[in-house]
Amino acid sequence: MRGTLRRRAGAGRHRRSGVRAGQDVGRSCILVSIAGKNVMLDCGMHMGYNDDRRFPDFSYITQNGRLTDFLDCVIISHFHLDHCGALPYFSEMVGYDGPIYMTHPTKAICPILLEDYRKITVDKKGETNFFTSQMIKDCMKKVVAVHLHQTVQVDEELEIKAYYAGHVLGAAMFQIKVGCESVVYTGDYNMTPDRHLGAAWIDKCRPDLLITESTYATTIRDSKRCRERDFLKKVHETVERGGKVLIPVFALGRAQELCILLETFWERMNLKAPIYFSTGLTEKANHYYKLFITWTNQKIRKTFVQRNMFEFKHIKAFDRAFADNPGPMVVFATPGMLHAGQSLQIFRKWAGNEKNMVIMPGYCVQGTVGHKILSGQRKLEMEGRQIVSLSQFAHGIQGKVAPDSQHLCSPPLLLQLEVKMQVEYMSFSAHADAKGIMQLIRQAEPRNVLLVHGEAKKMEFLKQKIEQEFHVNCYMPANGETTTIFTNPSIPVDISLGLLKRETAIGLLPDAKKPKLMHGTLIMKDNSFRLVSPEQALKELGLAEHQLRFTCRVHIQDPRKEHETVLRVYNHLKGVLKDYSVQHLPDGSITVESILIQATAHSEDQGTKVLLVSWTYQDEELGSYLTSLLKKGLPQSSS
């Protein structure tokens, strides 16, 4: 049988330090200290900076000694660069040799994105203080790939478990557990299934703390079908009037989602306008979706043998020369926030024509061109020189990108660009909205919630909503801030059958709703607890039994001789304790069950007698009662 041992309140605690991405989207990096273990969650870069601020400040973790000595492990939730972009810098340049955990798709795609990011930063822009290709390879050697729902034992006490997060191929939520204390980190997730990925799912694991993203903390999206219909209508209308449609996307995720949607629509409507995709992307995406088909949704898995949903009939590879072609077209171009690369190049060419349209299908970080035009800005200052094409897979690389080497001779000029094209925001984002976040909390039933990866004002609104609905504490620390959460964990205890039978025999009836007090010996061995009888404990541990007795002195005013005082005490107790065995022994002492009472004269006052009352711990209740009874004195009528 299993019981529960409760620690006093505040006995356990979690420290959560926001190295970055507290009230911020980008540069996700969180340090969790749980039951003496230190785990770093994600290691991302920021899209809005080109200087030292692009990486997290790892001095928050420790300023003394090596990171390997301090951290027990690092967990990466998915391959987007705002969650893994700083990994080679952290492991190879700052210095970390411990294990790094991620899923198999993340392990496969991560190095490609990191190498593309390195090429843009070093080869194109000429930066020197940056990680090399070899550092990326060395970093990936430290990675341990995990399967969904696989419990991974990091060490004897620390274990982790991955859950499906939707969002992008290979994205996972992680449960971190030490003993009976646990934390769940969501990373980025989506509670709504789409055309190629399923919905995020977690069991009712009741963690002490749920750390959840809150990108869309105040948004409740309309029905997916309505959004898709609206998207197709806007694309169709623009193409019909001879306009061009630009859809900035990131390489894996929304890109495939919208391609499947347009491919089906073009087939059904028999449309002839060309649809283009950034060169090389389709081949790479196809390869990884085929390799990790089990991570897609049920429909794609079922039909994959007959038809590969990612081999498109109407969507062709894009060449940058096509941007100047006359007539209608639809172009998917990377990156998704219009902060650099091919999507920004095309935007600059098409922005001046009111026939054209740009559809922003996801979140845009402040400071990017995407964020500016969605905020209503129609006059933009742009660098008047060629902008280098970003790699097809890069997700969220931010800032001014240097020109190709042949253009280095001309200094950049700031030109004003007037935006006449139509700007539409249609959220096909793979992040959970407010409703989805609440749904996940309902599913997991955490004792505390901590919001990260969001904007402060929106997080404050969601925080109040969570506290009102679920009656749990909700935290939203800023970057670099530490939050301490006290826990009151329940510790399971196995109870021996022999002890249970003995306690039942003396009147203990099992009742699940009422707590019962049980007397036994608690043995802690191999991180587990057992409650057994004292006899069994002594036998198991090979120990000899020692009797522990408690003794209390009670002073009584009685001028009579000692044996007369003892007799008065005996008669008094015999009259009061009718249900107990009270005996007067030949040596002049009195016993009540295991309790022994002896009388001696006071050394200084012959009129005062000292009663020594002693008992074993089993009779502690009766011993305390007898002591309080005798302290009241003896009745005058006793003789």
Side-chain angles (χ1 to χ4, degrees):
M1 184 175 172
R2 179 154 283 205
T4 298
L5 175 70
R6 292 197 178 274
R7 281 195 203 169
R8 62 181 176 80
R13 75 175 186 176
H14 301 312
R15 275 181 79 248
R16 176 266 179 205
S17 298
V19 180
R20 280 288 178 256
Q23 296 167 7
D24 195 4
V25 178
R27 200 172 34 179
S28 287
C29 192
I30 299 160
L31 174 67
V32 170
S33 297
I34 169 174
K37 300 290 178 182
N38 298 309
V39 179
M40 194 172 89
L41 306 170
D42 281 335
C43 189
M45 48 74 64
H46 199 287
M47 309 117 181
Y49 300 113
N50 283 331
D51 53 22
D52 291 344
R53 292 173 295 172
R54 75 174 134 219
F55 294 142
D57 183 355
F58 296 111
S59 66
Y60 277 107
I61 297 176
T62 180
Q63 293 180 342
N64 303 313
R66 295 164 69 245
L67 288 169
T68 312
D69 299 331
F70 185 78
L71 290 172
D72 292 280
C73 72
V74 173
I75 293 171
I76 303 296
S77 62
H78 63 291
F79 59 66
H80 279 161
L81 291 179
D82 60 333
H83 291 260
C84 73
L87 200 53
Y89 170 79
F90 165 76
S91 69
E92 306 311 306
M93 295 176 77
V94 178
Y96 171 75
D97 297 319
I100 301 166
Y101 293 94
M102 56 181 77
T103 64
H104 287 272
T106 306
K107 186 183 178 183
I109 296 163
C110 225
I112 296 165
L113 301 192
L114 291 168
E115 177 56 25
D116 285 352
Y117 178 35
R118 187 204 65 77
K119 279 179 186 172
I120 292 160
T121 312
V122 178
D123 297 352
K124 302 288 185 185
K125 295 168 70 179
E127 291 193 25
T128 51
N129 186 26
F130 210 75
F131 53 79
T132 63
S133 295
Q134 188 57 46
M135 285 178 182
I136 296 171
K137 289 172 189 169
D138 292 341
C139 169
M140 295 313 291
K141 286 174 187 172
K142 297 167 186 174
V143 170
V144 181
V146 300
H147 296 283
L148 287 177
H149 307 296
Q150 172 195 3
T151 299
V152 177
Q153 208 71 40
V154 177
D155 59 29
E156 286 184 2
E157 296 170 328
L158 173 63
E159 62 181 50
I160 63 171
K161 188 178 184 180
Y163 291 92
Y164 189 79
H167 187 62
V168 291
L169 192 69
M173 300 185 275
F174 280 87
Q175 182 185 35
I176 302 115
K177 199 172 179 186
V178 183
C180 57
E181 294 180 34
S182 66
V183 172
V184 167
Y185 173 57
T186 66
D188 293 348
Y189 64 101
N190 190 7
M191 295 299 287
T192 311
D194 55 32
R195 288 171 184 269
H196 75 296
L197 293 174
W201 181 87
I202 195 167
D203 54 24
K204 209 175 283 295
C205 53
R206 297 185 177 92
D208 292 299
L209 175 64
L210 174 74
I211 302 173
T212 173
E213 68 136 317
S214 52
T215 315
Y216 290 99
T218 56
T219 308
I220 296 179
R221 287 195 284 267
D222 52 4
S223 94
K224 192 165 167 290
R225 191 163 288 181
C226 289
R227 256 180 293 142
E228 289 179 347
R229 196 163 56 236
D230 200 19
F231 169 77
L232 294 170
K233 184 185 173 193
K234 282 183 167 57
V235 172
H236 192 201
E237 283 174 355
T238 306
V239 167
E240 285 292 292
R241 66 169 178 262
K244 295 174 170 63
V245 181
L246 171 64
I247 307 169
V249 288
F250 291 116
L252 279 169
R254 296 315 87 202
Q256 283 67 43
E257 183 74 6
L258 296 174
C259 276
I260 293 169
L261 185 59
L262 277 186
E263 173 79 7
T264 313
F265 184 70
W266 247 239
E267 187 74 30
R268 192 171 73 241
M269 301 296 288
N270 196 25
L271 298 175
K272 302 299 177 191
I275 306 173
Y276 297 114
F277 217 135
S278 295
T279 320
L281 179 90
T282 315
E283 293 80 2
K284 282 185 181 178
N286 247 328
H287 172 70
Y288 287 111
Y289 277 99
K290 191 173 181 180
L291 193 61
F292 301 111
I293 193 70
T294 53
W295 285 77
T296 59
N297 66 22
Q298 199 173 356
K299 186 182 175 184
I300 286 183
R301 288 201 305 271
K302 274 185 178 178
T303 59
F304 192 76
V305 179
Q306 292 82 32
R307 188 199 166 196
N308 180 352
M309 289 286 280
F310 304 107
E311 284 174 0
F312 304 115
K313 178 179 154 190
H314 297 276
I315 301 167
K316 309 295 179 192
F318 179 76
D319 185 282
R320 66 174 67 181
F322 294 173
D324 298 317
N325 288 357
M329 69 175 77
V330 179
V331 176
F332 288 93
T334 58
M337 298 190 192
L338 284 180
H339 46 271
Q342 204 166 66
S343 60
L344 186 56
Q345 274 185 302
I346 298 168
F347 171 76
R348 287 173 60 166
K349 286 187 176 183
W350 294 358
N353 190 336
E354 60 272 5
K355 273 188 183 180
N356 300 336
M357 179 182 283
V358 58
I359 298 176
M360 306 299 295
Y363 184 86
C364 290
V365 168
Q366 201 163 355
T368 58
V369 172
H371 186 273
K372 286 172 186 173
I373 61 170
L374 287 177
S375 304
Q377 207 171 317
R378 290 297 175 263
K379 288 188 179 176
L380 305 170
E381 283 194 341
M382 313 281 283
E383 282 189 8
R385 61 178 183 178
Q386 188 175 348
I387 295 178
V388 167
S389 175
L390 273 179
S391 157
Q392 308 308 322
F393 270 89
H395 167 58
I397 303 164
Q398 161 74 20
K400 297 170 187 174
V401 181
D404 290 331
S405 56
Q406 64 265 34
H407 298 277
L408 282 170
C409 53
S410 57
L413 301 170
L414 283 178
L415 303 175
Q416 197 169 74
L417 178 70
E418 190 174 354
V419 181
K420 291 181 181 177
M421 74 192 304
Q422 292 180 58
V423 178
E424 295 287 344
Y425 173 70
M426 306 189 73
S427 178
F428 286 94
S429 173
H431 291 271
D433 61 0
K435 191 176 171 185
I437 295 166
M438 300 297 273
Q439 189 183 336
L440 185 83
I441 295 169
R442 206 169 287 114
Q443 234 174 59
E445 290 189 3
R447 295 181 182 91
N448 298 276
V449 176
L450 192 141
L451 303 177
V452 294
H453 201 281
E455 295 169 23
K457 285 182 183 176
K458 294 177 180 179
M459 290 164 93
E460 183 58 51
F461 173 82
L462 184 63
K463 176 182 183 289
Q464 290 174 10
K465 193 172 167 64
I466 289 167
E467 288 178 337
Q468 283 168 12
E469 186 163 332
F470 298 107
H471 308 291
V472 297
N473 291 325
C474 185
Y475 307 87
M476 43 170 284
N479 283 351
E481 192 179 325
T482 299
T483 304
T484 303
I485 295 160
F486 288 88
T487 60
N488 185 19
S490 299
I491 302 170
V493 177
D494 291 323
I495 302 169
S496 74
L497 194 61
L499 180 67
L500 201 62
K501 282 179 178 175
R502 191 172 78 180
E503 293 286 329
T504 307
I506 57 170
L508 176 75
L509 294 172
D511 186 343
K513 291 180 183 176
K514 291 181 182 176
K516 296 287 181 184
L517 183 68
M518 294 191 74
H519 295 87
T521 304
L522 189 67
I523 299 177
M524 185 173 73
K525 192 178 180 184
D526 299 329
N527 290 327
S528 63
F529 292 87
R530 284 188 308 128
L531 192 68
V532 299
S533 66
E535 298 80 23
Q536 187 180 337
L538 290 169
K539 189 178 175 184
E540 277 188 29
L541 300 170
L543 298 173
E545 185 176 4
H546 295 272
Q547 276 288 349
L548 183 68
R549 293 188 73 86
F550 299 92
T551 302
C552 184
R553 291 168 180 266
V554 180
H555 293 81
I556 290 181
Q557 295 297 320
D558 190 4
R560 297 174 179 82
K561 294 194 182 205
E562 288 165 32
H563 71 274
E564 291 175 353
T565 303
V566 169
L567 195 60
R568 288 186 68 201
V569 170
Y570 169 72
N571 290 332
H572 176 50
L573 294 179
K574 190 97 173 153
V576 175
L577 304 172
K578 289 186 167 61
D579 296 330
Y580 291 89
S581 169
V582 183
Q583 292 182 327
H584 188 191
L585 302 179
D587 64 359
S589 58
I590 302 166
T591 60
V592 181
E593 304 295 339
S594 75
I595 296 163
L596 182 69
I597 303 168
Q598 294 172 309
T600 60
H602 196 280
S603 57
E604 295 174 5
D605 181 6
Q606 292 301 312
T608 302
K609 300 294 181 291
V610 180
L611 298 179
L612 296 172
V613 186
S614 74
W615 63 88
T616 63
Y617 77 95
Q618 288 98 330
D619 285 325
E620 187 177 353
E621 200 174 329
L622 180 59
S624 299
Y625 171 70
L626 275 180
T627 305
S628 60
L629 184 69
L630 292 169
K631 279 180 180 176
K632 291 175 185 174
L634 298 172
Q636 293 302 317
S637 57
S638 297
S639 58

